[in-house]
Amino acid sequence: MPFKKLHASIKESLERLQIESAKPFQEKLIPKIKSGTNVFGIAPKESGKTTAMIINTLQKLQCKAEGDAPRAIVIVENKKEAQELHSKFLEFTKYTDLRVYMGYEELHIDIQKSEIYMGIDILISTPKNLHKLFLTNGLSVSQLKIFFVDDADFLIQRKEISSLTITSESIKKCQYVILAENLNPKLNKLKESFMVNSTIVKI
């Protein structure tokens, strides 16, 4: 079972949040992400995609703060989604020293740069905002281990998918995971850029 071979802090969080067992999709998705391959996770709402992402992120970072540059990046559609995901991460990281930071277009880029400079482990951002951080040298990806896109169906918008593709060109080595309800042809086309040799996990 996916929940058995996890860091002790994650198990404690699952127990505290009364999450007793993995959903069918999580049973397929969590081990595949843990393997280190690039993954498309395709499933309907309420399948446990976001929780699986949080679990895998914490497992990858071994539930501890390290260095100054982010080791995990999670892309969401907008400020509202960023705020909701930030709150969900904090539920899991409550008793760890992991530093979760949230950035979005409405927050001045200079404020973000100064706060990120102080040191973070997990960055939650929108595609446009992340691209702007790159353009202004406000973000180092030298320590990046994993890059998620949560509820990625919004990426079918041309400007969003272009921003993400351009940003990925600045990242040398990283595991990518895209979570969505449908594998839209535009998402599938990402196999030609940063989603090379990816695996599809679908229900």
Side-chain angles (χ1 to χ4, degrees):
M1 289 290 289
F3 286 176
K4 289 185 177 180
K5 297 180 179 179
L6 294 173
H7 191 283
S9 293
I10 302 174
K11 290 182 180 180
E12 290 170 5
S13 295
L14 290 168
E15 184 176 347
R16 174 167 45 85
L17 296 170
Q18 299 182 332
I19 302 174
E20 297 179 357
S21 60
K23 294 184 177 182
F25 183 62
Q26 292 172 335
E27 290 183 358
K28 297 174 64 177
L29 181 65
I30 291 174
K32 192 60 68 174
I33 298 175
K34 283 177 69 177
S35 74
T37 187
N38 291 340
V39 180
F40 283 100
I42 310 299
K45 288 184 180 296
E46 308 302 326
S47 299
K49 296 190 293 294
T50 299
T51 298
M53 175 192 66
I54 294 173
I55 289 171
N56 277 106
T57 302
L58 270 57
Q59 182 71 22
K60 194 86 167 180
L61 306 190
Q62 288 297 292
C63 295
K64 64 179 180 180
E66 185 178 298
D68 297 322
R71 291 173 290 146
I73 291 176
V74 184
I75 295 299
V76 293
E77 181 176 8
N78 51 40
K79 176 183 177 181
K80 179 177 179 292
E81 296 294 330
Q83 291 172 326
E84 290 178 358
L85 183 57
H86 186 255
S87 295
K88 290 177 182 177
F89 260 105
L90 293 183
E91 290 177 349
F92 276 84
T93 60
K94 186 175 182 179
Y95 297 109
T96 75
D97 61 355
L98 281 169
R99 300 155 296 178
V100 186
Y101 185 78
M102 171 180 58
Y104 45 87
E105 289 96 310
E106 293 86 347
L107 182 61
H108 197 284
I109 198 68
D110 288 340
I111 294 175
Q112 295 184 58
K113 288 168 65 175
S114 62
E115 292 177 339
I116 289 171
Y117 179 77
M118 298 298 291
I120 64 172
D121 299 293
I122 301 165
L123 171 64
I124 301 169
S125 180
T126 62
K128 184 178 178 180
N129 188 70
L130 183 68
H131 185 52
K132 193 170 184 179
L133 283 170
F134 270 96
L135 290 177
T136 56
N137 295 316
L139 184 68
S140 168
V141 290
S142 61
Q143 304 301 313
L144 194 61
K145 294 179 179 290
I146 194 162
F147 190 116
F148 281 95
V149 184
D150 195 29
D151 292 330
D153 302 86
F154 74 91
L155 283 182
I156 60 173
Q157 302 172 47
R158 184 172 180 178
K159 62 178 181 179
E160 301 288 13
I161 208 162
S162 295
S163 293
L164 186 59
T165 302
I166 293 169
T167 299
S168 70
E169 293 173 356
S170 301
I171 301 171
K172 292 182 179 180
K173 186 178 180 181
C174 180
Q175 179 186 9
Y176 291 92
V177 181
I178 292 183
L179 304 174
E181 291 184 49
N182 300 287
L183 188 54
N184 181 280
K186 289 186 178 180
L187 290 181
N188 197 43
K189 193 173 176 60
L190 292 175
K191 291 179 180 179
E192 299 174 8
S193 53
F194 59 87
M195 290 299 288
V196 292
N197 300 320
S198 55
T199 298
I200 299 174
V201 179
K202 185 176 181 180
I203 61 168

